[in-house]
Amino acid sequence: GLTAAGAPDAARAHHQERLAHSGPFPTTTGGFTVQALGRGRFLDDIDIKFKIKGHGSEVAHVRDPSDVLVARLTFQSGGSVGWHTHHGPVIVTVASGELTLIDGDTCERRLYPAGTAFVDLGQGHVHLAFNGTAGETVAYATFLDVPVGQPATLPASNPGCNP
């Protein structure tokens, strides 16, 4: 079994398995569709704070995430959202296929296969999402703090990551 001292090493090894170490990424946007499944507003006063461990303690604090959008994202092979950010945090669950995410701050590439989930902090955090597999990838996203009449995804420039 694992000892307490071995647990961080095991966690690091597990983390490394989710990283893709090489390969190009799409430089054009397209090959994906977004189907809005529902939009709602919290009736209660909500205050949400996300802290992602292992990423330098990145935190997103949303004092009024009232406007929520839930959508189905379908990526064809090679399909890419392009470099972008969001108004607020996004909770993403990959239902089928595999989604690759490149962090704009570190240029780190992470793979999210079917059955995994992640939180994107939004609020200006730039990243790239694409399907690097030969098949279709489907994910479900819950976007927090999307103002009515505004898009859930805001295009951004490549922050300096090389394909």
Side-chain angles (χ1 to χ4, degrees):
L2 286 176
T3 64
D9 291 334
R12 244 189 318 277
H14 175 70
H15 171 77
Q16 290 299 322
E17 289 172 8
R18 295 183 296 156
L19 299 179
H21 299 287
S22 64
F25 59 77
T27 55
T28 58
T29 300
F32 75 98
T33 57
V34 178
Q35 177 189 6
L37 300 176
R39 183 181 260 287
R41 205 168 219 307
F42 288 110
L43 295 178
D44 300 312
D45 187 15
I46 304 291
D47 185 353
I48 297 175
K49 185 177 189 178
F50 288 101
K51 180 178 181 182
I52 301 179
K53 298 178 186 178
H55 281 70
S57 297
E58 292 180 66
V59 176
H61 189 187
V62 187
R63 286 178 170 62
D64 183 20
S66 296
D67 298 307
V68 178
L69 173 67
V70 177
R72 174 187 164 116
L73 315 174
T74 304
F75 293 80
Q76 299 308 314
S77 179
S80 172
V81 178
W83 291 102
H84 66 283
T85 187
H86 306 282
H87 295 279
V90 183
I91 302 166
V92 179
T93 302
V94 180
S96 64
E98 182 176 79
L99 195 61
T100 301
L101 202 71
I102 300 178
D103 183 290
D105 294 334
T106 64
C107 298
E108 176 184 76
R109 179 185 305 243
R110 300 185 81 192
L111 305 177
Y112 294 94
T116 62
F118 62 92
V119 174
D120 174 71
L121 297 177
Q123 300 179 331
H125 175 254
V126 174
H127 55 285
L128 173 75
F130 68 95
N131 174 6
T133 73
E136 183 178 85
T137 293
V138 175
Y140 293 90
T142 301
F143 299 88
L144 301 174
D145 200 25
V146 180
V148 173
Q150 295 289 315
T153 299
L154 306 169
S157 297
N158 181 334
C161 299
N162 296 317

